[in-house]
Amino acid sequence: MKKIIYLLLLLPTVLLAQEQKTISGNVFDANADMPVIGASVYASSAIISHKTNIDGVIQGAMLGSTTDFDGNFKFTVSSDIKSIIVSYMGYETQKIDVTKNFTGLKIILKEASERLNEVIVTGYQKIEKRKMTSSYAKVKVAEIQQAGVANVDQMLSGQISGVVIAATNGGPGAPAKISIRGTSTLNGSSDPLWVLDGIPLEGNDIPKDFGDKDNIDNLESYAIAGLNPEDIESITVLKDASATSIYGARAANGVIVITSKRGKKGAMRINFNATSFVTQKADFSKLNLMNSDQKVDFELMLAGRSDLKYQSNRGAVARILNNYGEYDNFASNGFNSIGLEAQQEINNLRNTSTNWGDELYQMALNQQYSLSLSGGSDKNDYYFSAGVFDEKGATKGTGFKRYNITIKDNFSVTNKLKVGASLFASQNSSDSYITGVDAYTNPSYYSRTANPYLKVTDADGNYVYDPDLIERSDLNLDYNILEERENTEYELTSNSLKAIFDVNYEFNKELQFYSQVGLQLDFEKTEKFGDENSYYTRKYEQKSRYSDGNGGYSYFLPEGGIIQNWNSDAFQYNWKSTINYNTSFNDIHELDVMVGTEFRKNNRTMIHTKGFGYNPNTLTTTAITDERALSIASFETYRKTYIENAYASFFATTSYTFDKRYTVFGSLRYDGSNLFGVDPKYRYLPLWSMAGSWNLMQEEFMDYVDVVNELKLRASYGVQGNIDKTTSPYVLGEYYQTSILPGNTEEIIRALNAPNAKLRWEKTVSSNIGFDLGLLDNRIYISGDYYQRKSSDLIGLKSVPLESGYSFINTNWATISNKGFELAINTRNIHTTNFDWSTSFNISHNKSLVEAIEIRDEDFKPSLKGHSVNAIFAIKTAGLDSNGLPLFWKDGKKISAVDFYKLTEATDGSQLSREEHRGLYSYVGDGAPKFSGGLINTFNYKQFNFKVSANFNIKQTVKQAPSYHPTLVDPGKNYSTDILKAGTGGFPGLIGYTTPGFDTDLVYNWFNSSDDGRTYNDLDIWVKDISYLRISSIQLGYSLPKEQLDKLKLSRMNFSLEGRNLFVFGSNYDGYFDPETYGSIYAQPIPKIISLGVNLSF
Amino acid sequence: MKYFKYITVLFIASFISCNDYLDIDPIGQIIPKTVDDYRSFLTTAYASTKEHKVLSTYRGDELSLKSDAVGIEQYEDIFTWNDENPSPLVRSFAYASFYNTIFYANHVIDNKDTMTGAQEEIDQLVGEAYALRALQYFELINLYAVPYNKTTAATDVGIPITTHYDSDKTYPKQSVQTVYDLILSDIEASENLLNTVEQDLGFNYRFSVVAIHSFKSRVFLYQNEWQKSVDASEAALEINANLMDLNTSTDIMPSEYNSVESILALETVASFDLANNASISQTLVDSYEQDTDLRFALYFTPINDAYKSKKSANNKFKCSFRVAELYLNKAEALAELNEHALASTTLLELAKYRYTTEGFEDYTATINGLSLEALKTEILEERKRELAIEGHRWNDLRRTSQAQISKTFGGEIFILEQQDARYVIPFPKDAQISNPNL
C-alpha cells in the first residue's frame, strides 16, 4: 500500500485532464490458432488512483481489459501511454508498443516454456513448480497417446525415468507391472498407488510372479482398468519420500497421480476420435518346436533306446508299434524290420501337421471410439466424454471391451465458493479361457506340448481327443482344444462408478478450505462355465468319485455343466479435508501451511456360488444330495465373504521459501487403521519427511551465466512405517464348518496363522538429491536424481520347522536397500518454422541389496544376503562327458555329477550337508535390469508429425524353465528343438537307470527323485543375460491445414497411422515370444498392432 | 484467525472419535475366549484327518498289491519298504498334521486358566486337549522311532516334543522314554479333568472317561506294563463292556462309529485306494476259518478272484478305540502275567460273539488245549483277525517279534527281515528339510 502512495506522489495524476486514445486488437494463440479468451491487456505504467472509504488509503488500479470470447479487447487510455502488456497464464507475457499503432492490433501469444510457471498437482495440494522440492515427473497424455492400448499404464513404458513398466502378459486388458525405484519389499505388494483427481483408487494387487500360470489365467480387475485414457490430461509420478509421505503407508512404492481433463472457458468444443487397429497373429515359429517329421524321428529314437523307460507307451509312434506288437522288434532290429503297415502308419504321421499357432492365435480387427464435449464460462466449466474400446486378444477366445462415460462440472457459486462434481462410469468385460487346476490346458502351455501330428478334428469333423493328455494311468479325460474353447466360457464384467465431489472455500486470499469426497463403487461379476462336454467338467467330476461298495466306483456329480459365479460388490469412500494457509511477508518470506484429515472406509462383499448339473438351455442347476459332498470344498455351493477396513489419518505440511531462492518443506502424517488382533501400540503409524530446494537462477551470480536459464537443486529425506495386518500376537481364528462323523455338522474355529508376539513395524528411510537444469532457454533440459532407500524389519514369510504346527510364519526378517539414479534429458534439436525435431531420453539404474535376512539352516539355495532382491543363483556346468552326463566346475577342475553332488550308492542320493549344497551355487546375475529407459524422437514438418518411441532394458539375467528334463522325457509330448541337441554342447543327454556309462544309475536316481532342491532347474545352461530395445511405437500423423479446416468448419483434424511393438532388437530370446516374458511358458504373446485413426475437433 | 479455534476443536473431536471409527470387528474372525470358542477351536484339531493308519496297513502284511493297479506309484514303495529311493509320487506318512493338532491342543491347555465359562465344561475340554495331545505323540513315536523297550528307551532316539508355541525354538529329537513320560503325564492330567463318562453318538470322536482308560490300556500294553494295562482295561470295561453279537446282527461292523462297541471314533482306517485298488493278502485270508468266523464275510468282499476290504474312506468307519480291543489287550496282558486261565476266559468272551455257535464250540476246545506260549500266539492271531484293516497290525508286528514279512510284487519277492531297521519309518522329506535337527 505504501509503495503505491509514494508512486502517486511521484507521478502526476493527470489522467482526467489528458487526451485519450482507444486501444483495440485481438489476441491469438500461436499454436492452436485459436483466440485467447480472458487474456489481460493493460497499460503498463498507468496507475489510476481512487479514493477509498478509508482516510489516507488510496487504492491503485491498472487500466486495461480482458479479451472476450473471440479474443478481442478494447479500452481507452491516455494518449501518452507507450506500451501495453498482454499476459495470460501459461503464455509468455508480451509488451506491445502502442505509440504509433494502437488499433486492430494482432497479438500472438506463445506458450510459456512451461517449466517455471507451472503448478504441480500432488493430489493433496497444488505446489508451484518453483517451490517444488520433491522428485517427480509429469507427462501430458496428449504427448504419449498411443492407439490400441486399453489402459494408461502400458502407455507409460519408457516415458518416465525411474519408472519401469514390464508387460506381464500379452492378454487383452492385462495389467503391466510397474516398479518405481526398484523393489523395496520381499513379499508385499510393490504396486504404486494410483490416484485419480485426489482419490486413491482401490483394486487388486498385481501378482508378482507371472511364471505362475494361475496369475496369468485368472481374470482380475485392477485399479485403473476402468479409466479411459482419452479422459486423462496429465500424469504426475511422485517418486521420493517428500512427495509420497503425504499419502501414507500405501505410497511406499511411489504414487501416480492422474489428472483428468476439464472444460476450458469458451464455446463448446467437440472432439471425436476413431481408431481401428489390427493385432497381428503371434509368430509361433519363435518357439522353435519340433515339427511332425522331427517329432516322429524323435519318438523313434526314444523307442529304440531300451534304457529310457519313462512313459514309453505314450506318443503315436509307440502306440502304433504296440498295436502291431512290434515294439520290441523295433527296439532290437530297427525300422526296416517292422511290418509294412506299421511303417506306413508311422510315415503318415510325418505328413499330418497341425499348426497349433493357428489353432490358438489369431489376427484381430479392433476398434476404439471416443467423443468429448467440453466448454465453460466464467462461472462454470464442464466436460463430458463417452468412449468405446473393443479388443479381441491375440489368443483366440480372449477379448476385452470397455465402455466409458465421464461427466465433470466445476461451478463457482460465489467468488469465494467453488464446487465441483465428477462422475466416471465404466464397464469392462474380459473374456478368457478356462484352465483347470493343472497347467496342461493353458493354451500357451498346451501349444508347446501338443504333438504336431495330432489332428484337431478328424475327417468327419468330430473332435479328436488328445491321447497323450492323461489324467491318471487309467484315465484319459478327453481333451480337445477346440471343443474346450467352444464349450467353456470365462468372463469378468466389472461395472465401476467413481464420483468425486469437492468444495473449495476461500476465506480470504491467504486462507482456503478444501474438502473432497470420493466414492468408488465396483460391481464385479465373474462367470466360469464348463459345458457337459468339456474337459473342465470331466475333470471336476473326478472329485466326486466314491466307491460304491461293490468294488467299483460312481460319481455323485449330476449330469450337466458346471457354472461358477463370483459377485463382488465393493464400496469405498474417501473424505479429505484440508485447510491451506499461504502467505508472504515482506516480499521475501513465503509460507505455505496445510493441515488436513482423511477418513476412508472400504468394504467388499463377495459371493461365490457353484452350480452343478447346469443346463445352459434352461439355465438351472441340480442340487447335489449326496452327503459326501458336504465335506468337500470343491462342492461348496455358496460362500459369502465380507471384509471391511477403516482408516483415519491426520497430516500437515509446511513450506517456507526465502527470497524465491531457498525452500524448505516438511510433512507429517499419522495413519491409523483398523487392526484386529494387532498389538494396539501399532495402531497409528507415523510418516514424515523433510526436503529443501535451492533455485539458483535467483542468485545474482547466475545472471552472468547466460547459457543456463534454469537451475535447481533438491534434496529430501523421509521415514515411513508399515505393519502387516494379517499377523497377530494372538491366535486368530476363522469360522468354518465340518462334519467329523456322519450326520453331524459342527462349527469350528480354525487358526489362521501362527501367533507372532514379536512382530514390529517395517520401516523405510528414503533420501534423494536431484537437480533440474535448463540450458539455452530450455532447448536442453536435464533432470537427474540420485536416491537411497533402506527398508528394515521387512515382514516376510519364513519357513519354520513343521513341529511348530505350521510351515510358515510372518516375521520381521530382512533389511533391503535400493540405490539408484535417474536421468532425463529433453532436447529441442532443430527448431525452425517448418521443421522441428525434439528428443526425449531417460535412463535409470537401480541396485537393490539385501543387507540382512534370516538365514535358514534348511535352505537349499544360498541366502540373498549381500545380493540383490532379484538375485539369480545358478550351478556352473562344464559341458558333458562322453556319455552325455553333465560335468561341473569345482576349484577350477571339471568333475562329474557323482563327485559334485557326492552321490553314493545305496543312500537316498547326495551326501552333501545342506550347507555344502548351498555352496554348489554361484551368483550369476541380477533379475532386475541394470539400466532401463526410453528414447522418444518427435519430428514435425509442416502438417506432418512423426514419432518413434522406444524403451530398453539393459542387462537383465533371466532364467527359463528347462526345455526338458533328462530323466522325464515323455514321448507323448512335444518339445522344443533344444531336446534334439541333448547330449551335445551343454545340453545333458537323456538318461535312464540302465544307460551305459560310469555310475549313470546314481546320476539317474539323483535327477529323477533325490534332487530335493531341484538343482536341475538351476543349471547355468538355463540362465542367460538379456538386453533389448523395443520400438514400442512408430507414429505418423497428418493435421489438416487451416484452409481446409475452415472449409469443413472444423478446428482441428488429424490422421494418424501407428505401428506398435513392431520391432525388438537385442539378445536372442529363442523359445519364447518376447524378451519381456522370457522364461514364462504361460504368458500370451505381446501383439504387434497397426492402427489407423482420425481425430476431429469442432 | 477465529476460524482456527473452531478448526482445532474439530480436529481434536475427530481424533477422539477416531478410535471408534477404527474399531471394526471383522465378520468371521475371532480370538477365542469362551469355552464355546475353545470347543470349536479344538474341534478343528479333531477334524484333522490323517492317513497314517492306512499307509501303515500297506506297509504291513494285510494287503496284496498288483503292480498294474491304479495309482500304484503312490503305494508301491511303502508296500515294498523301499525307503531308499522311493518314487517322487509316493504318499508320505503324516507328520506336520500331527504337530498341527498338537498346536491346537497346546493352545487350549495354555489358556485353561483364562477361559471363561462353566468349570465343568472347561475341565472336560482341557482334559480332552491333554488326551488328544497324548494320542498324537503316541502315534508319532510308534511310526518314527523304535518300539518301547524299557532298558534302552532312555537312549533310543525318538521325536521332537513341544508343549508350548514359541516362534524361536528349536526342535531336537527327544528320547523314547521322554516321549512316553509326556504321554503318560498327559493321560494322567486328562484323567483328572475329564467328566463325561461316555460321549453321545455323533460326538464320540471326543475323548471321554472310558476312552482315556482304553488309551491307557493300549499305552501300557505297548510298554509291556502288563498289570497296569489290565487295570486300565478293566476300568474301561466297567463303563462299557458291550460286544456286538455277530450271530444276531451283521448290519454294521463292530468298528463302525455307531456300533455299541465304539469308544472313540476319531481316526481314519481305510481309504478309497485301499478298498478298490488293493486286495487282502493271502496270509490274512488264510488266518480266518471262513465257515465259522462271522467276521470274514463282514470285513471282506470277494471281487473277481481276490478279496477286498469293505472298509472305505467313509466317515462311519472311523475308529480309534473299541471294546473288542479291550478284551484283547486284557487277554494278552493276563497271558504275559502267566494268568493262563483268566487269559483264556477273556479271549473266549470275545470269541463268543465272533464265531458261529458250532464254530465257537470248536474254538473253545482248541483254546483250552493250548499251552501258555501257544495261547499267547493265539491271542495275537485273534487280534490280527479281529482288528484287521484297522491300523493295528504294523504296531503289533513292531512291538512283538518284528517278524519277517515276505511279499511278492510285480514278479519280484521282497523281504522285510526279522527286526529289520525298516520297521522304523524314516522322517518325511519335508520335515527333514524344515528341521535340521532331524
Side-chain angles (χ1 to χ4, degrees), chain A residues 533-606:
Chain A
N533 285 324
S534 67
Y535 179 79
Y536 174 77
T537 305
R538 289 190 278 266
K539 198 163 158 81
Y540 212 100
E541 194 189 29
Q542 292 302 311
K543 294 185 209 179
S544 74
R545 197 176 68 164
Y546 63 94
S547 60
D548 61 6
N550 292 324
Y553 35 77
S554 306
Y555 303 92
F556 58 74
L557 187 70
E559 298 272 315
I562 297 175
I563 185 160
Q564 291 195 54
N565 292 83
W566 289 262
N567 283 1
S568 165
D569 290 345
F571 172 68
Q572 177 189 235
Y573 76 77
N574 191 337
W575 177 33
K576 198 164 58 179
S577 306
T578 59
I579 297 210
N580 273 288
Y581 179 68
N582 301 13
T583 186
S584 62
F585 313 105
N586 299 338
D587 264 358
I588 287 193
H589 310 282
E590 288 171 275
L591 184 67
D592 299 312
V593 178
M594 175 180 79
V595 183
T597 62
E598 185 172 4
F599 296 99
R600 182 161 68 97
K601 238 193 192 161
N602 60 43
N603 61 51
R604 181 183 284 263
T605 308
M606 283 173 288

Side-chain angles (χ1 to χ4, degrees), chain A residues 133-134 240 242 663-666 689-693 715-717:
Chain A
T133 53
S134 316
D240 72 352
S242 61
T663 307
V664 178
F665 172 88
S689 73
M690 271 180 21
S693 74
S716 76
Y717 180 84

Side-chain angles (χ1 to χ4, degrees), chain B residues 268-280:
Chain B
T268 312
V269 296
S271 72
F272 179 90
D273 282 334
L274 191 150
N276 292 290
N277 301 323
S279 46
I280 308 302

